[in-house]
Amino acid sequence: MEGVERVVRVLKPFKLASRDFHPEDTVITVNGARIGDQPVVVIGGPCSVESREQVFEAAEIVKANGGMIFRGGAFKPRTSPYSFRGMGDKGLELLAQIKSSLGLAIITEVMSPEQVPMVAGVADILQVGTRNMQNYALLDAVGRSARPVMLKRGMMSTIEELLMSAEYIMSNGNEQVILCERGIRTFETTTRNTLDVSAVPVLKELTHLPVFMDPSHASGRARYVNALSRASVAAGADGLLIEMHPHPEMALSDGAQSVSPDVYTQTIADLRRVAEAVGRSL
Amino acid sequence: MEGVERVVRVLKPFKLASRDFHPEDTVITVNGARIGDQPVVVIGGPCSVESREQVFEAAEIVKANGGMIFRGGAFKPRTSPYSFRGMGDKGLELLAQIKSSLGLAIITEVMSPEQVPMVAGVADILQVGTRNMQNYALLDAVGRSARPVMLKRGMMSTIEELLMSAEYIMSNGNEQVILCERGIRTFETTTRNTLDVSAVPVLKELTHLPVFMDPSHASGRARYVNALSRASVAAGADGLLIEMHPHPEMALSDGAQSVSPDVYTQTIADLRRVAEAVGRSL
Amino acid sequence: MEGVERVVRVLKPFKLASRDFHPEDTVITVNGARIGDQPVVVIGGPCSVESREQVFEAAEIVKANGGMIFRGGAFKPRTSPYSFRGMGDKGLELLAQIKSSLGLAIITEVMSPEQVPMVAGVADILQVGTRNMQNYALLDAVGRSARPVMLKRGMMSTIEELLMSAEYIMSNGNEQVILCERGIRTFETTTRNTLDVSAVPVLKELTHLPVFMDPSHASGRARYVNALSRASVAAGADGLLIEMHPHPEMALSDGAQSVSPDVYTQTIADLRRVAEAVGRSL
Amino acid sequence: MEGVERVVRVLKPFKLASRDFHPEDTVITVNGARIGDQPVVVIGGPCSVESREQVFEAAEIVKANGGMIFRGGAFKPRTSPYSFRGMGDKGLELLAQIKSSLGLAIITEVMSPEQVPMVAGVADILQVGTRNMQNYALLDAVGRSARPVMLKRGMMSTIEELLMSAEYIMSNGNEQVILCERGIRTFETTTRNTLDVSAVPVLKELTHLPVFMDPSHASGRARYVNALSRASVAAGADGLLIEMHPHPEMALSDGAQSVSPDVYTQTIADLRRVAEAVGRSL
């Protein structure tokens, strides 16, 4: 065609994740929490499982605030090989105890294909971390699992790439995918990353999958978590992933971005009002 | 000192803008609107002044929604010299008529030092645009004006640079500065820019100046403006700058990001509930 | 057209700057230096004019290395209003003395429309700085001047935006525009900015205007200037803008990125060999 | 210490990769090519292994141009699960035939820990792709292999993160790591990514490991590969990874960025002159 430089296809490169092919919202039920439905779901817990005492203390606070799902890392991807890389199997065991003792569902990260069966033995939701968003061998592996998957956006990935990675999981047969924006890398330095709050309305338009936000990794500063959580819920997020540590100053990883139990409790109360203001509950 | 690579000063490089030296919030009163105080202030209007009919139609809608300040550009910075660059003096005259007929205060952009007296003859608030955030001759000139200044963040400027530019204005004697985040440039392409919602809590911590958000330029898409406005108010913004056009599909500039009167009215209603949820009013 | 989402115009939004309309390279002659022609042109000098002694010392070194154009700032755009903002008129006067005593042509920055006549009284090339790349009042003003203009790319601007800003100048009648890439803002922190070396082949393809590189501002570190200068010439740049200070450790601005006279001399020697390897001279 | 906001450790967070602990350049010998030594090493070949005919045709051209190492992907990480994901085992077998028939060494990508033994059975250099730069399970696995590893920088990873990922490999016992910059993600859109040419002098200063550049992925446009290759060698790179396809217009992946045999041959000739200009050979 003369005078035309480029022709752009109408069809999006993702199908199973697209709202075009699946107009109704996907709802994923975990331990009674209906993720993607009217209530906003808050998942709290520490960055890493550090000790029996620490996780139980944290889990009691999550439960006391009405939480049904607990987060905590047993296997930790760390930029440096010399940093604390998580308790591993023992951490997984502690999470299993939380589950049986307190009745909380568990979300925890899985880092490689061969870990999937073991982690899926404890976890109710498998988390794929930001650095692994395009680890296709891992996406294929969690796609063959029966567990719901929380897919975190790469800190350097576009929204379309996030949806393409969800498509990898779904094309393996697992349609229970929760998307999570956790801050993208920009030139700004007052926050660890920049929370891309626009991702909420963009994703809600493009896909039927539930959309979570992680204000802890986005900001990297505990004191901004409350404001960013409120913004996320106001924008229409289906849920939040909040790092909370019983004693943030003693955390073995991500202490600076973990809120204290008091701030966590206050945040939940604040979010309840915002959720209601946008026609949802908590 | 041995073993120390770098020493970082405690003192911030901005003084007049810093909360350290001026702990209480600055409140700027314009036409009865108390900017920076408890109520959230919404400023609406079209990108450009295009005709008498268009601006009056837009201004009536702003007024009907309780607005006290009207926005509209007479001098337009455009990437291309061949694009519509605004009506100029005639546009300014139309804004003066809006002011006298409808009792709305006016905010409009000023593009060069020599324009300041003329624009300040009509405008209640002088706007310095994103491309001029580091146009120091202009910052000096508006700093010598008696009018409040809305300083928009450069689309790739850090929060600290924004505060340094505010400091330029204030060090010239004008302490009535309103800061406005309007989206930063990132690698994401589904939105025109990425709204840096974290800038709200960061700025509220660092400075006593009022903080506005511009969801229209940030997203570049009218359909995301409502969600981003709610997020901004929930995060603690003092006000919003929203582009609204009586007939967006006919706009001479920024039509894609201008909301219709209906969406504008709905957004105001939605924001009222969010404002109340965070202890403010609208 | 069914199945087509978007149609992209063939015509580029810039005309006068485009190679489509002006296939041959533009050559701008300044003091015998043929900018945009076969020889690579190196422009050296300090960031700021600081004293008679300092500029004369620097200018002698530039001249001894075969330079025909000397750079030095009299009016300095600084992020902070409290930093050294240049010697102003007195700096301009010192540059005029360099010109008459040593026979070097002068390039220096102009910061506002009203400064243009005064600066053009001394400067052979008017520099528009990175922060003013989209200061349209200034672009219009230098476009009405008879002096060649060096337009630096905004640290946050795309190559297309750079060409649109060149178009502003050219559409005012001044076709003697030199483009200068000086590093763009990215997430990387080991350098002050990231030199976009790809801009050289991209610009040489899109436009007939000469293309310069500024490795000093790009890296912000004197020790990387030699390598980045070599890379620029190898990529096909028409010239370089290098910050050199007789005593970098005493510089009032940008000392960290200014090379010493020795490094400057070595760099010129190294560049001569690279220029010859790509079929040019120095 | 009063008046001090932050204290920064002198020690870098990477040790084995640091030049502080290992001042001399690491040289890795593969098939007679001394990577990291005086001669610049060019590795050419297609993005993907597509057919026996295609790889042999490409390999003959590489060999005719003096190449000793051939690149070609058998397992391809693709953004979409519906794109061509490589020939897999059969591709690996074809690479083994190239090796035995033509005497070229092979570099090919490995995508998961369990693939390492199989890929290392054929490959002389294991490539870890940009999306897997922080796939720590994979880094650990290649770190336990006896094969040299080419580690590509994440498209939005810092230079320090690249070195930390190299440290993962080295701390597992494998010290034969080659670093490769391949373009970072920025706001610029005329190129697929932005080649960070400054990474060359920065890395040569910080580490003793060899530094490669990949102008093909960086630019995403075959017509810029020659200029970016010249810039890389002039900046001091130890080698290049260039995508070349016997018939780029028929490539199953990355055709737009693959150079033709003619351009490849011309580029090698051009690079020879640039290498000599900076005191090296090819």
Side-chain angles (χ1 to χ4, degrees):
Chain A
M1 278 171 290
E2 213 185 329
V4 170
E5 185 179 294
R6 217 160 12 122
V7 166
V8 183
R9 281 163 311 130
V10 159
L11 296 178
K12 299 193 183 61
F14 45 91
K15 272 185 272 189
L16 301 170
S18 170
R19 205 178 265 286
D20 295 350
F21 292 84
H22 185 309
E24 321 76 44
D25 286 341
T26 284
V27 174
I28 299 171
T29 305
V30 176
N31 198 27
R34 291 179 53 79
I35 294 169
D37 207 349
Q38 190 268 2
V40 173
V41 174
V42 181
I43 299 177
C47 175
S48 303
V49 175
E50 297 171 3
S51 70
R52 187 184 159 76
E53 196 183 356
Q54 173 242 19
V55 274
F56 268 83
E57 204 173 337
E60 299 278 12
I61 296 155
V62 167
K63 196 170 180 182
N65 277 286
M68 287 177 283
I69 312 176
F70 181 70
R71 59 152 291 154
F75 300 95
K76 300 298 306 170
R78 302 303 299 276
T79 306
S80 164
Y82 309 123
S83 299
F84 172 61
R85 293 169 73 174
M87 291 182 73
D89 301 2
K90 288 189 181 167
L92 215 51
E93 208 175 294
L94 287 173
L95 291 172
Q97 292 175 23
I98 295 272
K99 191 171 172 171
S100 59
S101 306
L102 301 179
L104 289 168
I106 299 297
I107 173 172
T108 198
E109 180 157 356
V110 57
M111 285 178 64
S112 69
E114 58 263 48
Q115 279 180 349
V116 172
M118 177 180 59
V119 174
V122 171
D124 299 278
I125 306 175
L126 300 171
Q127 181 177 315
V128 174
T130 187
R131 291 172 183 78
N132 282 319
M133 194 200 87
Q134 294 190 316
N135 177 342
Y136 299 122
L138 182 58
L139 297 180
D140 282 342
V142 298
R144 289 187 297 263
S145 162
R147 295 292 189 197
V149 176
M150 166 90 66
L151 177 65
K152 300 192 89 174
R153 180 180 181 183
M155 67 185 81
M156 48 187 98
S157 300
T158 64
I159 288 173
E160 182 172 312
E161 288 169 341
L162 172 63
L163 288 168
M164 294 307 297
S165 287
E167 193 79 12
Y168 260 92
I169 299 171
M170 298 174 86
S171 66
N172 276 285
N174 187 349
E175 304 211 336
Q176 300 192 89
V177 179
I178 304 158
L179 304 170
C180 184
E181 150 66 21
R182 45 77 70 209
I184 56 173
R185 195 162 264 190
T186 69
F187 59 85
E188 177 57 48
T189 55
T190 56
T191 45
R192 185 172 171 189
N193 295 284
T194 297
L195 182 72
D196 181 6
V197 74
S198 318
V200 178
V202 173
L203 282 170
K204 296 306 288 182
E205 176 183 70
L206 295 177
T207 184
H208 52 88
L209 298 172
V211 177
F212 267 55
M213 298 290 266
D214 174 345
S216 306
H217 282 89
S219 65
R221 305 279 182 277
R223 63 190 185 277
Y224 302 141
V225 166
N226 189 319
L228 296 186
S229 297
R230 296 189 319 252
S232 298
V233 170
D238 295 308
L240 291 164
L241 209 56
I242 298 179
E243 287 195 352
M244 178 266 293
H245 193 288
H247 309 283
E249 69 288 357
M250 293 167 61
L252 294 184
S253 60
D254 281 352
Q257 71 195 35
S258 298
V259 297
S260 65
D262 282 359
V263 172
Y264 186 77
T265 302
Q266 180 64 52
T267 300
I268 297 290
D270 292 347
L271 290 179
R272 191 158 282 133
R273 285 191 301 276
V274 176
E276 280 160 14
V278 295
R280 301 182 78 159
S281 61
L282 199 83
Chain B
M1 277 173 291
E2 211 187 330
V4 170
E5 184 180 294
R6 222 166 359 128
V7 166
V8 182
R9 282 163 311 133
V10 159
L11 296 177
K12 299 197 182 59
F14 44 92
K15 271 185 272 192
L16 300 170
S18 169
R19 206 178 265 287
D20 295 349
F21 293 83
H22 185 309
E24 321 76 46
D25 287 341
T26 284
V27 174
I28 300 171
T29 304
V30 176
N31 198 28
R34 294 180 50 80
I35 294 168
D37 207 349
Q38 189 268 1
V40 174
V41 174
V42 181
I43 299 178
C47 175
S48 302
V49 176
E50 297 170 4
S51 72
R52 189 185 157 76
E53 197 184 357
Q54 174 242 17
V55 273
F56 269 82
E57 205 175 336
E60 298 280 12
I61 296 157
V62 167
K63 196 170 179 183
N65 278 286
M68 288 178 282
I69 312 176
F70 181 70
R71 58 152 290 153
F75 300 96
K76 299 298 305 171
R78 300 304 299 276
T79 306
S80 164
Y82 309 123
S83 298
F84 172 62
R85 293 170 72 173
M87 291 181 73
D89 300 2
K90 290 192 179 163
L92 216 51
E93 209 175 291
L94 286 172
L95 290 171
Q97 292 175 23
I98 296 272
K99 190 170 172 171
S100 60
S101 306
L102 300 179
L104 289 168
I106 299 296
I107 172 170
T108 197
E109 180 156 356
V110 57
M111 284 178 64
S112 67
E114 58 263 48
Q115 281 181 349
V116 172
M118 177 180 59
V119 174
V122 172
D124 300 276
I125 306 175
L126 299 172
Q127 181 177 315
V128 174
T130 187
R131 291 172 184 78
N132 281 320
M133 194 199 87
Q134 295 190 316
N135 177 343
Y136 300 122
L138 181 59
L139 297 180
D140 282 343
V142 299
R144 290 186 297 263
S145 164
R147 295 292 188 197
V149 177
M150 165 91 66
L151 177 65
K152 298 192 89 172
R153 179 180 181 183
M155 68 187 81
M156 216 156 161
S157 299
T158 63
I159 288 174
E160 182 171 313
E161 287 168 344
L162 172 62
L163 289 168
M164 295 308 296
S165 287
E167 193 80 10
Y168 260 91
I169 300 171
M170 298 175 85
S171 66
N172 276 284
N174 186 348
E175 304 211 336
Q176 299 191 87
V177 179
I178 305 159
L179 305 170
C180 185
E181 149 66 20
R182 45 75 71 210
I184 57 173
R185 196 162 262 189
T186 69
F187 60 83
E188 177 56 47
T189 56
T190 56
T191 45
R192 188 173 169 187
N193 295 284
T194 296
L195 182 72
D196 181 8
V197 74
S198 318
V200 178
V202 173
L203 282 169
K204 296 306 288 181
E205 176 184 68
L206 295 176
T207 184
H208 52 89
L209 298 172
V211 177
F212 267 55
M213 298 290 266
D214 175 344
S216 307
H217 282 90
S219 66
R221 306 277 181 278
R223 63 188 184 277
Y224 302 141
V225 166
N226 188 318
L228 296 186
S229 297
R230 297 190 317 252
S232 298
V233 171
D238 295 308
L240 291 164
L241 209 56
I242 297 180
E243 287 196 352
M244 179 265 292
H245 193 286
H247 308 283
E249 68 289 357
M250 293 166 61
L252 293 183
S253 60
D254 282 351
Q257 72 196 34
S258 298
V259 297
S260 65
D262 283 359
V263 171
Y264 186 77
T265 304
Q266 180 64 50
T267 300
I268 298 290
D270 292 348
L271 290 179
R272 191 158 283 132
R273 285 192 301 276
V274 176
E276 281 161 15
V278 295
R280 303 182 78 157
S281 61
L282 198 82
Chain C
M1 278 172 291
E2 210 185 332
V4 171
E5 185 179 292
R6 223 166 358 130
V7 167
V8 182
R9 283 162 310 131
V10 159
L11 296 177
K12 299 198 182 60
F14 43 92
K15 270 185 275 193
L16 301 170
S18 169
R19 205 178 266 285
D20 295 349
F21 293 83
H22 186 308
E24 322 73 48
D25 286 342
T26 283
V27 174
I28 300 171
T29 305
V30 176
N31 198 27
R34 293 180 50 79
I35 294 170
D37 208 348
Q38 191 267 3
V40 173
V41 175
V42 180
I43 300 177
C47 176
S48 303
V49 176
E50 297 171 4
S51 72
R52 189 185 157 76
E53 195 184 358
Q54 172 242 18
V55 274
F56 269 82
E57 203 174 338
E60 299 278 12
I61 296 157
V62 167
K63 197 169 178 183
N65 278 287
M68 288 177 282
I69 312 175
F70 181 70
R71 58 152 292 155
F75 300 95
K76 299 298 306 171
R78 302 301 301 274
T79 306
S80 164
Y82 309 122
S83 298
F84 172 61
R85 293 169 73 172
M87 289 181 76
D89 301 2
K90 291 191 179 166
L92 216 51
E93 210 174 291
L94 287 173
L95 291 171
Q97 292 175 23
I98 296 273
K99 191 172 170 168
S100 59
S101 307
L102 301 180
L104 289 168
I106 299 295
I107 172 171
T108 197
E109 181 157 355
V110 59
M111 285 178 63
S112 69
E114 58 263 46
Q115 281 181 348
V116 173
M118 177 180 60
V119 174
V122 171
D124 300 277
I125 306 175
L126 299 171
Q127 180 177 315
V128 174
T130 187
R131 293 171 182 78
N132 281 321
M133 193 199 87
Q134 295 190 315
N135 177 343
Y136 300 121
L138 181 58
L139 297 181
D140 283 342
V142 298
R144 288 186 299 264
S145 163
R147 294 289 188 199
V149 177
M150 165 90 66
L151 177 64
K152 298 193 89 172
R153 179 181 181 182
M155 70 186 78
M156 49 187 101
S157 300
T158 63
I159 287 173
E160 182 171 313
E161 287 168 344
L162 171 62
L163 288 168
M164 295 307 298
S165 287
E167 193 80 12
Y168 260 91
I169 299 170
M170 298 174 87
S171 66
N172 277 284
N174 186 347
E175 304 212 336
Q176 299 191 89
V177 178
I178 304 158
L179 305 171
C180 184
E181 150 66 21
R182 44 76 71 213
I184 56 173
R185 193 162 265 188
T186 69
F187 60 85
E188 177 55 48
T189 55
T190 55
T191 44
R192 188 174 170 187
N193 295 283
T194 296
L195 182 72
D196 182 7
V197 74
S198 320
V200 178
V202 173
L203 283 169
K204 295 306 286 180
E205 175 184 68
L206 295 176
T207 184
H208 52 89
L209 298 172
V211 177
F212 266 56
M213 299 290 267
D214 174 344
S216 307
H217 282 89
S219 66
R221 305 276 181 280
R223 65 188 183 278
Y224 302 140
V225 166
N226 188 318
L228 296 186
S229 297
R230 297 189 319 252
S232 299
V233 171
D238 295 307
L240 291 164
L241 209 56
I242 298 181
E243 287 196 352
M244 178 266 292
H245 193 286
H247 308 282
E249 69 289 356
M250 292 167 61
L252 294 183
S253 59
D254 283 350
Q257 72 195 34
S258 298
V259 297
S260 65
D262 282 359
V263 172
Y264 185 77
T265 302
Q266 179 65 52
T267 300
I268 297 289
D270 292 347
L271 290 178
R272 191 157 282 132
R273 285 192 301 276
V274 176
E276 281 160 16
V278 296
R280 302 183 77 158
S281 62
L282 198 81
Chain D
M1 281 172 289
E2 213 185 329
V4 170
E5 185 180 292
R6 216 159 13 120
V7 167
V8 182
R9 282 163 310 128
V10 159
L11 296 177
K12 298 196 182 61
F14 43 92
K15 269 184 276 188
L16 301 170
S18 170
R19 206 178 265 286
D20 296 349
F21 292 85
H22 185 308
E24 322 76 44
D25 286 342
T26 283
V27 174
I28 300 171
T29 304
V30 175
N31 198 27
R34 292 180 51 80
I35 295 170
D37 207 348
Q38 191 268 4
V40 173
V41 174
V42 180
I43 300 177
C47 175
S48 303
V49 175
E50 297 172 2
S51 70
R52 187 183 160 78
E53 197 183 356
Q54 174 243 16
V55 274
F56 269 82
E57 205 174 337
E60 299 279 11
I61 296 155
V62 167
K63 196 168 179 183
N65 278 286
M68 286 177 284
I69 311 176
F70 181 70
R71 59 152 292 156
F75 300 96
K76 300 298 305 172
R78 301 302 300 274
T79 306
S80 164
Y82 309 123
S83 299
F84 172 60
R85 294 168 73 174
M87 290 181 75
D89 300 2
K90 289 188 182 169
L92 216 50
E93 210 174 292
L94 287 173
L95 292 171
Q97 292 175 21
I98 296 272
K99 191 170 172 171
S100 58
S101 306
L102 302 179
L104 289 168
I106 299 296
I107 172 171
T108 197
E109 179 157 356
V110 57
M111 287 177 62
S112 67
E114 58 263 47
Q115 280 181 348
V116 173
M118 179 180 56
V119 174
V122 172
D124 300 278
I125 305 176
L126 299 172
Q127 180 177 316
V128 174
T130 187
R131 293 171 181 79
N132 281 320
M133 193 199 87
Q134 294 188 316
N135 177 344
Y136 300 121
L138 181 59
L139 297 180
D140 283 342
V142 298
R144 288 187 297 263
S145 163
R147 295 291 187 199
V149 177
M150 165 89 66
L151 177 66
K152 298 193 89 173
R153 180 181 181 183
M155 66 186 83
M156 216 159 163
S157 299
T158 63
I159 288 173
E160 181 171 314
E161 287 167 345
L162 172 62
L163 289 169
M164 294 307 296
S165 287
E167 193 80 12
Y168 259 92
I169 299 171
M170 298 174 87
S171 66
N172 276 284
N174 187 347
E175 304 213 335
Q176 299 191 87
V177 180
I178 304 158
L179 304 171
C180 184
E181 150 65 22
R182 45 77 69 207
I184 56 173
R185 196 162 262 189
T186 69
F187 58 84
E188 177 55 48
T189 55
T190 56
T191 43
R192 187 173 171 187
N193 295 283
T194 297
L195 182 72
D196 181 7
V197 73
S198 319
V200 177
V202 173
L203 283 169
K204 295 307 287 181
E205 176 184 68
L206 295 176
T207 184
H208 53 87
L209 298 172
V211 176
F212 267 56
M213 298 290 265
D214 174 346
S216 308
H217 281 90
S219 66
R221 307 278 181 276
R223 63 190 184 277
Y224 302 141
V225 166
N226 188 318
L228 297 186
S229 297
R230 296 189 319 254
S232 298
V233 171
D238 295 308
L240 291 164
L241 209 55
I242 297 182
E243 287 196 352
M244 178 265 292
H245 193 286
H247 310 281
E249 67 289 357
M250 293 168 61
L252 294 183
S253 60
D254 282 352
Q257 73 195 34
S258 297
V259 297
S260 65
D262 282 358
V263 172
Y264 186 77
T265 302
Q266 180 64 53
T267 301
I268 297 290
D270 292 348
L271 290 179
R272 191 158 283 133
R273 286 192 300 278
V274 176
E276 280 160 15
V278 296
R280 301 183 78 158
S281 61
L282 198 82

